[in-house]
Amino acid sequence: MLQAPFPTPALSRQLVLASTSRYRRELLQRLQLPFDIESPDVDETPLPGEAPAPLAQRLALAKAHAVALRHPNALVIGSDQVADLAGEPLGKPGGHERAVAQLQRMRGQSVVFQTAVAVVCLESGFAQAELAQVRVRFRDLHDDEIERYLRAEQPYDCAGSAKSEGLGIALLDAIDSDDPTALIGLPLIRTCRLLRAAGARLP
């Protein structure tokens, strides 16, 4: 288990991030709260016919619950993101060929990134989730642009095969969101709201 280097908690309970994503870890550090990190080890396979938004919410809660079972007194944060292309879920490509195929399908299209966050505490009985929807319009990308981008950034661990916080911003025409960090992987406005509802004091 890793620990973020922040002093004096504003929490009466241990805070655990149920994710090994470096993007979510870096985002959560912005809140300047001490937290531990633990892998949830949850199967992320969609259920038959499962739509992207319910999939993201189910997985966020499943990740939080899986780690909460090991830390019943803690506040556990789970999160999941699914790229939604006309109702079809697109997950992490995992490799170059799948990333090329994803970006080719998304070029010139609007894609909704469904980013869910959940907070669970078994001892208090708290378990809530929220969903942030980010609409992204991709440029009409040429194949050579896709290839250059993927070779430069290798975003194979990102849903939708693009990092908006990096070079991937050059692939886009527009982003529409009410929670700016949601596209990176953790909607902090909603995370703060859930933590406050669970009893945490934030700055």
Side-chain angles (χ1 to χ4, degrees):
M1 185 184 296
L2 303 176
Q3 190 167 42
F6 288 114
T8 314
L11 297 164
S12 58
R13 297 181 182 274
Q14 176 192 19
L15 182 64
V16 182
L17 176 62
S19 174
T20 55
S21 163
R22 66 181 184 275
Y23 312 112
R24 294 190 177 109
R25 180 183 71 240
E26 290 167 0
L27 289 171
L28 190 58
Q29 285 174 344
R30 295 186 189 184
L31 302 185
Q32 299 187 18
L33 297 171
F35 64 93
D36 298 316
I37 297 171
E38 192 161 327
S39 174
D41 297 323
V42 167
D43 183 0
E44 298 186 17
T45 305
L47 300 176
E50 191 171 25
L55 170 62
Q57 290 178 298
R58 177 177 66 82
L59 290 178
L61 278 166
K63 291 174 182 179
H65 275 292
V67 172
L69 289 173
R70 300 172 223 155
H71 303 278
N73 300 326
L75 290 176
V76 182
I77 299 171
S79 187
D80 193 78
Q81 183 180 77
V82 180
D84 179 347
L85 179 60
E88 179 185 347
L90 301 178
K92 300 170 186 174
H96 187 80
E97 290 185 4
R98 288 190 62 191
V100 168
Q102 282 191 358
L103 288 175
Q104 286 176 337
R105 292 189 61 198
M106 293 188 298
R107 57 187 168 193
Q109 304 292 319
S110 287
V111 179
V112 178
F113 285 79
Q114 310 280 3
T115 307
V117 60
V119 173
V120 171
C121 177
L122 292 185
E123 184 181 65
S124 69
F126 185 89
Q128 291 185 20
E130 291 203 25
L131 182 71
Q133 298 179 311
V134 183
R135 185 170 297 277
V136 174
R137 189 167 69 247
F138 281 81
R139 293 174 43 248
D140 190 9
L141 303 166
H142 297 296
D143 286 346
D144 62 330
E145 290 181 291
I146 291 172
E147 188 68 25
R148 287 199 309 271
Y149 168 69
L150 292 176
R151 294 299 181 189
E153 198 151 63
Q154 301 183 13
Y156 307 135
D157 60 346
C158 298
S161 304
K163 295 181 184 178
S164 65
E165 70 275 23
L167 183 58
I169 198 71
L171 306 181
L172 310 179
D173 268 336
I175 297 173
D176 182 16
S177 173
D178 66 354
D179 204 332
T181 62
L183 189 54
I184 305 174
L186 185 66
L188 285 180
I189 292 174
R190 286 163 172 79
T191 301
C192 289
R193 189 154 58 216
L194 289 172
L195 288 174
R196 290 189 187 99
R201 290 189 304 112
L202 278 74

